[in-house]
Amino acid sequence: MEFGFFDALKLIGALGFFIFGMKVMSEGLQQVAGSKMRQVLRAMTNNRFTGVATGFLITAILQSSSATTVMTVSFVNAGLLSLIESAGVMMGANIGTTITGWLVSLVGFKVKIANYALPIIAVGAPMLFLRNAKTKRWGETLIGFALLFLGLSELKDAVPDIKNNPEVLTFLNTFAEPTFLNRLFFVFIGTVLTIVVQSSSAAMTLTIVLTTQGLPLEIAAAMVLGENIGTTITAELASLVA
């Protein structure tokens, strides 16, 4: 299989495209619902169960576990939440961040949303020029959603075709053997990938795309575990100054 430097650049660019779309959509949603989310976070963390539900809800809406995590750390630092209450929110945030993976796997490969991306941008773009701030934010959210799936479409085209290259598949299958070191290696790969791209959702999406191209499920599962470890770096960085 030929996969040169230019192909690697295309893959990195497609991943960047996807991350940019996610960032625009996430920031738009945060601006629309940010203050309300803070009120919800403070009101619904009376016990661990509602804390988990709150973390899940906020992350599912904002499409960013990092935003929920940083918000929670700042609340703990300010004394508005206890450490025990924040633990439930963090657990919920880690469940909520899987929504992107579900969205990509259930919709991204079955419905050609990229075909509707330009009409969505056509609706969102004029909203950016309106005076109402909330309408502008909704425009950003729509454009981000469209860019997200355009990025996914480019990512699917840029990922190397493992299925039609038996030698690569055979090589990867040797690593799919259930040994501790093999699992640990791909957990490490997933962790590093998430730290580099600073988004577990983007890293998970790349893993899902690779799986559709023939990446063994055992390797993908280990990488996803690593990606969930890698995303904790945001909480670590946020807590350094707290």
Side-chain angles (χ1 to χ4, degrees):
M1 179 178 66
E2 291 184 9
F3 190 77
F5 178 71
F6 185 70
D7 295 310
L9 282 181
K10 281 177 67 178
L11 178 60
I12 294 167
L15 187 60
F17 193 177
F18 180 84
I19 293 170
F20 178 69
M22 190 186 302
K23 184 174 182 290
V24 173
M25 185 176 74
S26 175
E27 287 178 353
L29 283 169
Q30 285 177 53
Q31 292 292 331
V32 170
S35 58
K36 290 181 181 176
M37 288 299 105
R38 289 183 180 89
Q39 291 170 13
V40 169
L41 189 61
R42 289 182 62 183
M44 291 183 63
T45 50
N46 297 326
N47 63 63
R48 294 168 193 176
F49 296 106
T50 56
V52 172
T54 303
F56 171 79
L57 177 69
I58 293 174
T59 305
I61 292 171
L62 299 185
Q63 282 294 291
S64 173
S65 59
S66 298
T68 308
T69 299
V70 171
M71 200 188 299
T72 306
V73 169
S74 66
F75 275 22
V76 173
N77 190 38
L80 299 173
L81 285 178
S82 70
L83 194 63
I84 293 172
E85 288 170 339
S86 71
V89 178
M90 295 288 191
M91 290 176 74
N94 280 292
I95 300 168
T97 197
T98 63
I99 292 294
T100 307
W102 281 109
L103 192 65
V104 166
S105 59
L106 294 176
V107 180
F109 295 105
K110 294 174 184 175
V111 180
K112 293 285 185 182
I113 291 189
N115 294 341
Y116 304 99
L118 290 179
I120 292 171
I121 292 172
V123 173
M127 295 169 73
L128 298 177
F129 299 97
L130 298 177
R131 290 187 178 183
N132 187 289
K134 196 167 186 178
T135 306
K136 284 183 179 180
R137 301 309 177 198
W138 277 116
E140 286 180 14
T141 303
L142 283 173
I143 290 171
F145 181 76
L147 293 177
L148 180 79
F149 281 96
L150 280 174
L152 177 61
S153 178
E154 291 297 324
L155 195 61
K156 286 192 286 185
D157 292 336
V159 162
D161 186 4
I162 301 171
K163 279 182 183 174
N164 295 322
N165 290 274
E167 69 282 359
V168 178
L169 199 55
T170 304
F171 174 73
L172 286 172
N173 277 322
T174 61
F175 285 99
E177 293 298 320
T179 65
F180 178 73
L181 285 177
N182 282 352
R183 293 286 188 272
L184 201 61
F185 175 70
F186 283 102
V187 166
F188 175 74
I189 293 293
T191 304
V192 171
L193 181 62
T194 305
I195 291 171
V196 169
V197 302
Q198 278 293 291
S199 172
S200 60
S201 296
M204 193 188 302
T205 299
L206 180 60
T207 307
I208 291 169
V209 173
L210 283 169
T211 305
T212 64
Q213 294 296 329
L215 184 73
L217 192 60
E218 294 82 0
I219 291 176
M223 286 179 68
V224 169
L225 283 172
E227 285 152 14
N228 279 287
I229 295 168
T231 196
T232 62
I233 195 70
T234 310
E236 297 289 347
L237 293 172
S239 62
L240 285 176
V241 295

